[in-house]
Amino acid sequence: MGSLVAADDVGPADDRFDWFCEAVSSDVMPVTLSARRAADFRASISYLDLGVVGLSTVACSPVLSRRTPTHIRRGDPEHLQLALITQGAVRISQRGSESVVAGGLVLTDTSRPSEGACTGGQAETLVVQIPRQALALNPDRVDRLLAQNLAADAGSGAILADFLKTLIARGPRCHPEELRGMGAVTLDLATAFLARQLGDPGQAPAEARAQETLQRIHRFIENNLGDPDLTPQVIADRHNLSLRRLHALFGDQPLTVAARIRRSRLERAHADLARGELGGQPVQSIAARWGFPSATGFSRAFREAYGVTPTEHRALSLAAARHAAHRNPARHEHHQAPPGPRFSSGDTAA
Protein backbone atom coordinates (compact mmCIF):
# COMPACT_ATOMS: atom_id res chain seq x y z
CA MET A 1 0.00 0.00 0.00
CA GLY A 2 1.07 3.63 0.27
CA SER A 3 2.66 5.59 3.06
CA LEU A 4 3.43 9.30 3.49
CA VAL A 5 5.46 11.13 6.08
CA ALA A 6 6.59 14.75 6.19
CA ALA A 7 9.44 16.33 8.15
CA ASP A 8 6.96 18.63 9.90
CA ASP A 9 5.35 15.55 11.48
CA VAL A 10 8.46 14.22 13.18
CA GLY A 11 9.10 16.83 15.87
CA PRO A 12 11.07 20.06 16.41
CA ALA A 13 12.61 21.88 13.44
CA ASP A 14 16.13 20.96 14.56
CA ASP A 15 15.27 17.27 14.12
CA ARG A 16 13.82 17.45 10.62
CA PHE A 17 17.00 17.23 8.57
CA ASP A 18 18.35 14.43 10.75
CA TRP A 19 15.07 12.57 10.23
CA PHE A 20 15.35 13.01 6.46
CA CYS A 21 18.93 11.72 6.40
CA GLU A 22 18.00 8.68 8.45
CA ALA A 23 14.88 7.95 6.38
CA VAL A 24 16.77 8.07 3.07
CA SER A 25 19.70 6.01 4.32
CA SER A 26 17.59 3.32 6.00
CA ASP A 27 14.62 3.07 3.62
CA VAL A 28 16.26 3.80 0.25
CA MET A 29 20.04 3.39 0.40
CA PRO A 30 22.98 4.69 2.45
CA VAL A 31 24.07 8.18 1.34
CA THR A 32 25.64 11.30 2.83
CA LEU A 33 23.33 14.34 2.72
CA SER A 34 24.07 17.97 3.49
CA ALA A 35 21.98 21.13 3.51
CA ARG A 36 22.97 24.76 3.85
CA ARG A 37 19.99 25.62 6.06
CA ALA A 38 19.18 22.51 8.04
CA ALA A 39 17.18 24.53 10.59
CA ASP A 40 14.65 25.54 7.90
CA PHE A 41 14.60 22.17 6.19
CA ARG A 42 11.31 20.88 4.78
CA ALA A 43 10.72 17.49 3.23
CA SER A 44 8.14 14.80 2.61
CA ILE A 45 8.53 11.22 1.44
CA SER A 46 5.86 8.86 0.19
CA TYR A 47 6.07 5.30 -1.02
CA LEU A 48 3.77 3.10 -3.08
CA ASP A 49 4.42 -0.64 -3.13
CA LEU A 50 3.69 -1.89 -6.65
CA GLY A 51 5.04 -5.39 -6.24
CA VAL A 52 7.63 -5.81 -8.99
CA VAL A 53 8.68 -2.14 -8.67
CA GLY A 54 8.29 0.63 -6.12
CA LEU A 55 7.25 4.25 -6.64
CA SER A 56 8.41 7.03 -4.32
CA THR A 57 7.98 10.77 -4.15
CA VAL A 58 10.58 12.95 -2.50
CA ALA A 59 9.99 16.68 -2.01
CA CYS A 60 12.66 18.59 -0.14
CA SER A 61 14.52 21.84 0.43
CA PRO A 62 17.87 22.23 -1.38
CA VAL A 63 20.14 19.34 -0.46
CA LEU A 64 23.36 17.72 -1.67
CA SER A 65 23.74 13.93 -1.83
CA ARG A 66 26.79 11.76 -2.25
CA ARG A 67 26.96 7.98 -2.54
CA THR A 68 30.43 6.46 -2.34
CA PRO A 69 31.83 2.92 -2.64
CA THR A 70 31.73 2.78 1.16
CA HIS A 71 27.99 3.52 1.12
CA ILE A 72 27.47 0.82 -1.52
CA ARG A 73 29.27 -1.75 0.60
CA ARG A 74 27.06 -0.81 3.56
CA GLY A 75 23.86 -1.37 1.61
CA ASP A 76 22.82 -1.78 -2.00
CA PRO A 77 19.25 -2.63 -3.12
CA GLU A 78 20.67 -3.27 -6.62
CA HIS A 79 18.05 -1.03 -8.20
CA LEU A 80 17.91 1.18 -11.21
CA GLN A 81 16.15 4.40 -10.22
CA LEU A 82 14.24 6.21 -12.95
CA ALA A 83 13.38 9.65 -11.59
CA LEU A 84 10.91 12.18 -13.01
CA ILE A 85 11.75 15.72 -11.87
CA THR A 86 8.35 17.37 -11.36
CA GLN A 87 9.51 20.54 -9.59
CA GLY A 88 12.79 22.43 -9.55
CA ALA A 89 16.02 21.18 -11.12
CA VAL A 90 18.41 18.44 -10.08
CA ARG A 91 22.06 17.95 -11.03
CA ILE A 92 23.07 14.29 -11.29
CA SER A 93 26.51 12.80 -11.97
CA GLN A 94 27.37 9.13 -12.34
CA ARG A 95 29.74 6.99 -14.40
CA GLY A 96 31.51 10.01 -15.86
CA SER A 97 28.33 11.72 -17.02
CA GLU A 98 26.62 14.78 -15.53
CA SER A 99 23.29 16.41 -16.35
CA VAL A 100 20.99 19.06 -14.97
CA VAL A 101 17.41 17.81 -15.26
CA ALA A 102 14.26 19.91 -14.95
CA GLY A 103 10.94 18.39 -16.02
CA GLY A 104 12.63 15.36 -17.55
CA LEU A 105 13.65 11.87 -16.53
CA VAL A 106 17.03 10.63 -15.33
CA LEU A 107 18.31 7.11 -14.68
CA THR A 108 20.77 6.15 -11.93
CA ASP A 109 22.17 2.89 -10.57
CA THR A 110 22.35 2.26 -6.83
CA SER A 111 25.37 -0.03 -7.37
CA ARG A 112 27.57 2.83 -8.62
CA PRO A 113 28.88 5.96 -6.87
CA SER A 114 26.89 9.08 -7.63
CA GLU A 115 26.38 12.70 -6.67
CA GLY A 116 23.24 14.82 -6.81
CA ALA A 117 22.09 18.29 -5.87
CA CYS A 118 19.05 20.51 -6.10
CA THR A 119 20.28 23.48 -8.12
CA GLY A 120 17.56 25.91 -7.05
CA GLY A 121 14.82 25.93 -4.46
CA GLN A 122 12.39 23.20 -3.47
CA ALA A 123 12.66 20.09 -5.64
CA GLU A 124 10.23 17.23 -6.13
CA THR A 125 10.85 13.91 -7.85
CA LEU A 126 8.89 10.74 -8.59
CA VAL A 127 11.23 7.75 -8.48
CA VAL A 128 10.54 4.32 -9.97
CA GLN A 129 12.72 1.74 -8.20
CA ILE A 130 13.40 -1.11 -10.62
CA PRO A 131 15.30 -4.23 -9.53
CA ARG A 132 18.16 -4.76 -11.97
CA GLN A 133 17.08 -8.32 -12.76
CA ALA A 134 13.52 -7.19 -13.56
CA LEU A 135 14.57 -4.99 -16.49
CA ALA A 136 14.60 -7.01 -19.71
CA LEU A 137 17.30 -4.96 -21.42
CA ASN A 138 21.01 -5.52 -21.90
CA PRO A 139 22.70 -4.11 -18.76
CA ASP A 140 25.74 -2.86 -20.67
CA ARG A 141 23.54 -0.85 -23.02
CA VAL A 142 21.38 0.49 -20.19
CA ASP A 143 24.52 1.80 -18.48
CA ARG A 144 24.95 4.27 -21.36
CA LEU A 145 21.80 6.07 -20.20
CA LEU A 146 22.98 6.73 -16.62
CA ALA A 147 22.85 10.39 -15.56
CA GLN A 148 21.51 11.48 -18.97
CA ASN A 149 18.74 14.07 -19.33
CA LEU A 150 15.92 12.03 -20.89
CA ALA A 151 13.03 14.01 -22.33
CA ALA A 152 9.57 13.47 -20.82
CA ASP A 153 7.56 15.90 -22.95
CA ALA A 154 6.84 13.72 -26.00
CA GLY A 155 6.34 10.13 -27.08
CA SER A 156 6.86 7.29 -24.60
CA GLY A 157 8.49 9.68 -22.11
CA ALA A 158 5.35 11.81 -21.89
CA ILE A 159 3.13 8.74 -21.56
CA LEU A 160 5.31 7.37 -18.76
CA ALA A 161 5.42 10.73 -16.96
CA ASP A 162 1.64 11.21 -17.08
CA PHE A 163 1.08 7.66 -15.88
CA LEU A 164 3.43 8.09 -12.90
CA LYS A 165 1.76 11.34 -11.84
CA THR A 166 -1.69 9.73 -11.96
CA LEU A 167 -0.49 6.62 -10.17
CA ILE A 168 1.08 8.48 -7.25
CA ALA A 169 -2.04 10.65 -6.88
CA ARG A 170 -4.65 7.88 -7.04
CA GLY A 171 -2.69 4.76 -6.14
CA PRO A 172 -2.95 5.08 -2.34
CA ARG A 173 -6.70 4.49 -2.64
CA CYS A 174 -6.28 1.29 -4.67
CA HIS A 175 -6.42 -2.28 -3.41
CA PRO A 176 -2.99 -3.99 -3.11
CA GLU A 177 -3.94 -6.42 -5.86
CA GLU A 178 -4.68 -3.51 -8.19
CA LEU A 179 -1.35 -1.92 -7.31
CA ARG A 180 0.53 -5.08 -8.21
CA GLY A 181 -1.11 -4.95 -11.63
CA MET A 182 -0.10 -1.31 -11.96
CA GLY A 183 3.44 -2.32 -11.04
CA ALA A 184 3.59 -4.59 -14.08
CA VAL A 185 2.29 -1.75 -16.27
CA THR A 186 4.86 0.63 -14.78
CA LEU A 187 7.69 -1.78 -15.54
CA ASP A 188 6.44 -2.28 -19.11
CA LEU A 189 6.22 1.47 -19.72
CA ALA A 190 9.64 2.13 -18.20
CA THR A 191 11.17 -0.69 -20.25
CA ALA A 192 9.58 0.60 -23.46
CA PHE A 193 10.82 4.12 -22.72
CA LEU A 194 14.39 3.04 -22.00
CA ALA A 195 14.44 0.72 -25.03
CA ARG A 196 13.39 3.67 -27.16
CA GLN A 197 16.31 5.70 -25.84
CA LEU A 198 18.66 2.87 -26.80
CA GLY A 199 17.32 2.45 -30.33
CA ASP A 200 15.50 -0.48 -31.91
CA PRO A 201 14.58 -2.96 -29.14
CA GLY A 202 14.53 -5.68 -31.78
CA GLN A 203 18.33 -5.54 -31.80
CA ALA A 204 18.48 -6.83 -28.23
CA PRO A 205 20.51 -10.06 -27.92
CA ALA A 206 18.89 -13.43 -27.36
CA GLU A 207 19.74 -13.38 -23.65
CA ALA A 208 17.86 -10.09 -23.17
CA ARG A 209 14.87 -11.42 -25.12
CA ALA A 210 14.82 -14.53 -22.94
CA GLN A 211 14.91 -12.32 -19.85
CA GLU A 212 12.00 -10.30 -21.22
CA THR A 213 10.00 -13.50 -21.77
CA LEU A 214 10.80 -14.64 -18.24
CA GLN A 215 9.64 -11.36 -16.73
CA ARG A 216 6.43 -11.51 -18.80
CA ILE A 217 5.81 -14.99 -17.39
CA HIS A 218 6.41 -13.76 -13.84
CA ARG A 219 3.83 -11.00 -14.37
CA PHE A 220 1.37 -13.50 -15.86
CA ILE A 221 1.75 -15.68 -12.77
CA GLU A 222 1.17 -12.72 -10.44
CA ASN A 223 -1.97 -11.70 -12.33
CA ASN A 224 -3.47 -15.21 -12.30
CA LEU A 225 -2.67 -16.56 -8.84
CA GLY A 226 -6.37 -16.81 -7.98
CA ASP A 227 -6.96 -19.35 -10.75
CA PRO A 228 -6.69 -22.82 -9.14
CA ASP A 229 -6.01 -24.28 -12.59
CA LEU A 230 -2.84 -22.22 -13.10
CA THR A 231 -0.15 -24.79 -13.92
CA PRO A 232 3.19 -24.82 -15.76
CA GLN A 233 1.44 -26.31 -18.79
CA VAL A 234 -1.11 -23.49 -18.86
CA ILE A 235 1.70 -20.93 -18.61
CA ALA A 236 3.66 -22.61 -21.41
CA ASP A 237 0.62 -22.72 -23.69
CA ARG A 238 -0.24 -19.08 -22.98
CA HIS A 239 3.26 -17.96 -23.99
CA ASN A 240 3.64 -20.26 -27.01
CA LEU A 241 6.39 -22.26 -25.35
CA SER A 242 7.02 -25.95 -24.92
CA LEU A 243 6.96 -27.17 -21.33
CA ARG A 244 10.63 -28.06 -21.70
CA ARG A 245 11.48 -24.52 -22.83
CA LEU A 246 9.53 -23.04 -19.90
CA HIS A 247 11.48 -25.14 -17.41
CA ALA A 248 14.72 -24.13 -19.15
CA LEU A 249 13.88 -20.45 -18.69
CA PHE A 250 13.56 -21.12 -14.95
CA GLY A 251 16.78 -23.14 -14.88
CA ASP A 252 18.81 -20.46 -13.07
CA GLN A 253 15.90 -19.16 -10.97
CA PRO A 254 15.72 -19.85 -7.22
CA LEU A 255 12.45 -21.79 -7.62
CA THR A 256 10.86 -23.99 -10.23
CA VAL A 257 7.75 -22.75 -12.03
CA ALA A 258 5.43 -24.72 -9.76
CA ALA A 259 7.24 -23.58 -6.61
CA ARG A 260 7.08 -19.98 -7.82
CA ILE A 261 3.28 -20.23 -8.12
CA ARG A 262 2.98 -21.84 -4.70
CA ARG A 263 5.21 -19.28 -2.99
CA SER A 264 3.36 -16.31 -4.46
CA ARG A 265 -0.04 -17.75 -3.51
CA LEU A 266 1.09 -18.26 0.07
CA GLU A 267 2.59 -14.77 0.24
CA ARG A 268 -0.67 -13.19 -0.93
CA ALA A 269 -2.72 -15.19 1.56
CA HIS A 270 -0.19 -14.40 4.31
CA ALA A 271 -0.54 -10.67 3.62
CA ASP A 272 -4.35 -10.71 3.44
CA LEU A 273 -4.66 -12.63 6.70
CA ALA A 274 -2.75 -9.82 8.42
CA ARG A 275 -5.05 -7.09 7.10
CA GLY A 276 -7.45 -5.77 9.72
CA GLU A 277 -10.16 -4.86 7.21
CA LEU A 278 -10.35 -8.53 6.14
CA GLY A 279 -10.61 -9.83 9.70
CA GLY A 280 -14.22 -10.83 9.22
CA GLN A 281 -13.58 -13.02 6.19
CA PRO A 282 -13.14 -16.76 6.79
CA VAL A 283 -9.63 -18.09 6.39
CA GLN A 284 -10.77 -20.45 3.65
CA SER A 285 -12.31 -17.59 1.66
CA ILE A 286 -8.92 -15.89 1.57
CA ALA A 287 -7.21 -19.17 0.71
CA ALA A 288 -9.64 -19.79 -2.18
CA ARG A 289 -9.07 -16.25 -3.47
CA TRP A 290 -5.41 -17.19 -3.99
CA GLY A 291 -5.91 -20.54 -5.64
CA PHE A 292 -6.15 -22.95 -2.67
CA PRO A 293 -9.45 -24.85 -3.02
CA SER A 294 -8.64 -27.27 -0.18
CA ALA A 295 -8.71 -25.93 3.37
CA THR A 296 -6.61 -28.84 4.64
CA GLY A 297 -4.02 -28.45 1.89
CA PHE A 298 -3.77 -24.71 2.47
CA SER A 299 -3.35 -25.05 6.23
CA ARG A 300 -0.65 -27.68 5.81
CA ALA A 301 1.25 -25.66 3.20
CA PHE A 302 0.97 -22.47 5.26
CA ARG A 303 2.32 -24.12 8.40
CA GLU A 304 5.21 -25.68 6.48
CA ALA A 305 6.12 -22.29 5.02
CA TYR A 306 5.65 -20.02 8.05
CA GLY A 307 5.77 -22.29 11.10
CA VAL A 308 2.28 -21.29 12.31
CA THR A 309 -1.25 -22.04 11.18
CA PRO A 310 -3.19 -19.43 9.17
CA THR A 311 -5.45 -18.78 12.16
CA GLU A 312 -2.49 -18.28 14.49
CA HIS A 313 -0.82 -15.90 12.02
CA ARG A 314 -4.00 -13.83 11.71
CA ALA A 315 -4.41 -13.55 15.49
CA LEU A 316 -0.77 -12.57 16.06
CA SER A 317 -0.77 -10.01 13.24
CA LEU A 318 -3.99 -8.29 14.30
CA ALA A 319 -2.88 -8.22 17.93
CA ALA A 320 0.44 -6.64 16.94
CA ALA A 321 -1.36 -4.01 14.84
CA ARG A 322 -3.68 -3.12 17.71
CA HIS A 323 -0.74 -2.85 20.09
CA ALA A 324 1.21 -0.59 17.69
CA ALA A 325 -1.82 1.67 17.17
CA HIS A 326 -2.37 1.93 20.93
CA ARG A 327 1.27 2.84 21.58
CA ASN A 328 1.64 5.59 18.95
CA PRO A 329 -1.39 6.17 16.72
CA ALA A 330 -0.22 9.51 15.26
CA ARG A 331 3.26 8.56 14.13
CA HIS A 332 4.30 6.80 10.96
CA GLU A 333 6.23 3.64 11.79
CA HIS A 334 8.29 1.34 9.61
CA HIS A 335 7.56 -2.34 10.15
CA GLN A 336 9.94 -5.07 9.17
CA ALA A 337 8.56 -7.30 6.45
CA PRO A 338 7.50 -10.77 7.58
CA PRO A 339 10.06 -13.49 6.87
CA GLY A 340 9.65 -15.24 3.55
CA PRO A 341 8.22 -18.74 3.40
CA ARG A 342 10.56 -21.70 3.56
CA PHE A 343 10.54 -23.28 0.11
CA SER A 344 12.68 -25.79 -1.66
CA SER A 345 13.25 -25.18 -5.34
CA GLY A 346 11.22 -28.21 -6.37
CA ASP A 347 7.98 -27.59 -4.45
CA THR A 348 4.82 -28.30 -6.42
CA ALA A 349 2.04 -25.78 -6.95
CA ALA A 350 -0.73 -27.92 -5.50
Side-chain angles (χ1 to χ4, degrees):
M1 293 293 287
S3 60
L4 170 67
V5 62
D8 290 350
D9 298 334
V10 301
D14 291 344
D15 296 338
R16 293 170 186 166
F17 183 68
D18 290 341
W19 162 81
F20 183 71
C21 294
E22 181 181 352
V24 172
S25 290
S26 63
D27 294 348
V28 182
M29 59 183 180
V31 292
T32 295
L33 300 172
S34 59
R36 291 182 179 178
R37 302 182 62 181
D40 299 330
F41 192 78
R42 295 287 184 274
S44 65
I45 301 173
S46 69
Y47 178 73
L48 205 57
D49 184 358
L50 304 177
V52 66
V53 299
L55 180 59
S56 302
T57 62
V58 180
C60 63
S61 303
V63 67
L64 304 175
S65 69
R66 189 165 182 260
R67 181 161 165 83
T68 67
T70 299
H71 291 126
I72 295 170
R73 288 191 294 270
R74 283 172 47 200
D76 182 13
E78 298 184 358
H79 285 173
L80 290 168
Q81 296 185 332
L82 184 58
L84 173 66
I85 314 303
T86 56
Q87 180 180 336
V90 176
R91 186 183 75 249
I92 295 289
S93 61
Q94 188 171 62
R95 198 175 177 262
S97 179
E98 180 173 294
S99 299
V100 176
V101 184
L105 289 147
V106 62
L107 184 71
T108 55
D109 184 349
T110 65
S111 299
R112 296 177 182 271
S114 62
E115 292 188 5
C118 303
T119 60
Q122 180 91 359
E124 181 176 315
T125 62
L126 303 184
V127 186
V128 184
Q129 299 156 356
I130 307 171
R132 264 263 183 197
Q133 68 273 17
L135 190 67
L137 295 172
N138 186 312
D140 292 335
R141 299 182 74 220
V142 171
D143 284 349
R144 303 173 195 170
L145 300 177
L146 296 178
Q148 299 292 323
N149 189 349
L150 308 174
D153 57 354
S156 58
I159 293 172
L160 175 60
D162 288 347
F163 179 79
L164 295 179
K165 292 173 185 176
T166 301
L167 186 55
I168 202 67
R170 300 184 182 276
R173 295 186 291 276
C174 291
H175 187 277
E177 187 176 353
E178 291 181 286
L179 292 179
R180 286 191 288 272
M182 292 300 99
V185 174
T186 303
L187 179 59
D188 285 344
L189 288 175
T191 302
F193 169 72
L194 294 173
R196 179 65 178 172
Q197 308 309 304
L198 293 169
D200 183 4
Q203 298 299 315
E207 182 180 349
R209 291 197 296 271
Q211 180 68 10
E212 182 177 6
T213 300
L214 184 61
Q215 294 306 322
R216 190 165 63 248
I217 290 169
H218 281 307
R219 294 195 290 273
F220 178 81
I221 291 172
E222 291 298 313
N223 290 333
N224 291 275
L225 290 173
D227 182 357
D229 296 324
L230 181 66
T231 64
Q233 186 64 64
V234 169
I235 294 170
D237 292 344
R238 175 64 175 77
H239 292 85
N240 298 313
L241 300 171
S242 68
L243 194 57
R244 180 177 180 180
R245 174 58 178 158
L246 176 65
H247 288 307
L249 285 172
F250 277 76
D252 60 353
Q253 298 291 297
L255 300 173
T256 65
V257 186
R260 166 74 168 81
I261 296 170
R262 182 185 181 88
R263 183 192 70 177
S264 294
R265 283 172 168 164
L266 284 169
E267 287 177 343
R268 297 296 178 263
H270 185 271
D272 277 359
L273 287 168
R275 292 173 57 197
E277 66 270 28
L278 300 181
Q281 292 191 12
V283 169
Q284 183 49 31
S285 294
I286 291 175
R289 178 186 304 150
W290 296 114
F292 290 99
S294 166
T296 301
F298 171 66
S299 183
R300 181 175 60 250
F302 194 96
R303 188 181 184 94
E304 289 174 355
Y306 294 104
V308 294
T309 68
T311 302
E312 290 169 342
H313 165 63
R314 167 178 269 181
L316 290 170
S317 298
L318 297 183
R322 287 193 296 269
H323 180 65
H326 177 72
R327 284 175 51 206
N328 207 347
R331 290 283 298 274
H332 171 82
E333 295 186 9
H334 297 286
H335 300 285
Q336 186 177 11
R342 299 186 293 269
F343 286 99
S344 64
S345 61
D347 282 346
T348 62

